[in-house]
Amino acid sequence: MLLHIPGVFSRDEVRRIRQALEQAQWLDGKVTAGYQSARTKHNLQLAEDDPLAREIASAMLERLWQNPQFMSAALPHKVYPPLFNCYTDGGTFGFHIDNAVRQVRGSAERVRTDLSSTLFFSDPDEYDGGELVIQDTYGSQRLKLPAGDLVLYPATSIHQVTPVSRGARYASFFWTQSLVREDSQRSLLYEMDQAIQSLSRDVPDHPALVQLTGNYHNLLRRWGEV
């Protein structure tokens, strides 16, 4: 399942974040790449312990924990702390699949990467190229979302960022270990939850809502890992 979640940050918030990112100290993005990925990764990245990165990441996760769409789709159990990158001057990241497990820097905690997320801090008209290309069962999806919007997709997907030939593409990315490992099961639960929410608005007293909600939680109980 690939999901577009709009407006995680407002336009004013994006503007302030962008100004801070433009003044930040950027490093070679290969510092967080595995051996295979490092061969095709050509971008800039903030250090994981950079105070600015931590500040924005904290605000971003706080927003997402309050976002019903993200919570319903991701069913998060653990999250790898968000990272920040910049693609400019031909920067690109060729086709790759994210590492299955990542260890949080300075911690013994490991996160299984069930889901990948990218939150854009540059608008599409501010740079040429830089599309996030995701290959899934329905073909290739090419994404350049408005600044402040997030895309959520299975980390099992082959994906790339095409070369940026003009401007700069600023973004944050992170991985989520879901309570439900299997993407098809998460998709089914998400669709069921959306139906429950819709019925709760339109026919809140319908007796079938109790049974449908019970079925949702019984499936989550069967498939969930804690």
Side-chain angles (χ1 to χ4, degrees):
M1 178 177 61
L2 186 153
L3 186 65
H4 173 195
I5 300 177
V8 175
F9 287 111
S10 70
R11 302 301 298 178
D12 285 344
E13 289 169 331
V14 167
R15 178 179 53 80
R16 292 196 296 270
I17 291 170
R18 270 288 302 280
Q19 289 175 347
L21 291 175
E22 288 168 357
Q23 302 301 316
Q25 298 295 316
W26 293 91
L27 307 174
D28 190 323
K30 288 184 172 63
V31 295
T32 58
Y35 171 77
Q36 189 67 34
S37 295
R39 301 173 63 188
T40 61
K41 187 177 186 181
H42 305 283
N43 65 2
L44 302 173
Q45 196 164 302
L46 290 186
E48 294 185 58
D49 58 355
D50 187 294
L52 176 63
R54 290 184 172 180
E55 179 182 356
I56 302 172
S58 177
M60 187 165 73
L61 292 179
E62 182 178 349
R63 293 295 178 85
L64 290 172
W65 292 166
Q66 299 172 4
N67 187 296
Q69 196 175 14
F70 177 84
M71 296 300 289
S72 176
L75 295 170
H77 178 45
K78 297 180 183 179
V79 171
Y80 190 91
L83 303 172
F84 296 82
N85 58 25
C86 173
Y87 290 84
T88 190
D89 295 329
T92 183
F93 196 167
F95 277 117
H96 63 285
I97 292 180
D98 296 328
N99 291 350
V101 177
R102 301 195 65 103
Q103 185 159 340
V104 177
R105 183 182 179 88
S107 167
E109 184 176 28
R110 293 183 176 183
V111 176
R112 189 183 66 238
T113 59
D114 298 323
L115 292 156
S116 295
S117 295
T118 297
L119 196 154
F120 292 79
F121 290 114
S122 298
D123 280 314
D125 61 358
E126 295 180 314
Y127 58 98
D128 292 335
E131 291 93 352
L132 175 60
V133 181
I134 303 169
Q135 293 185 354
D136 61 19
T137 54
Y138 301 102
S140 292
Q141 312 292 323
R142 303 179 70 91
L143 301 169
K144 287 182 72 170
L145 299 184
D149 289 12
L150 178 140
V151 60
L152 178 73
Y153 61 97
T156 53
S157 305
I158 297 176
H159 58 285
Q160 71 164 332
V161 176
T162 63
V164 172
S165 58
R166 177 187 66 87
R169 175 194 187 271
Y170 293 95
S172 176
F173 61 101
F174 66 95
W175 297 277
T176 301
Q177 178 173 328
S178 178
L179 290 169
V180 176
R181 182 193 300 247
E182 175 58 43
D183 180 58
S184 62
Q185 294 172 343
R186 284 195 309 271
S187 298
L188 179 60
L189 288 168
Y190 174 73
E191 292 171 3
M192 185 179 292
D193 187 42
Q194 296 304 296
I196 291 169
Q197 292 184 41
S198 179
L199 289 172
S200 297
R201 289 190 300 267
D202 298 340
V203 284
D205 298 322
H206 198 291
L209 269 172
V210 174
Q211 182 178 7
L212 184 60
T213 302
N215 288 340
Y216 171 88
H217 285 286
N218 285 334
L219 286 173
L220 181 56
R221 187 176 291 112
R222 175 184 290 269
W223 293 336
E225 304 173 8
V226 293

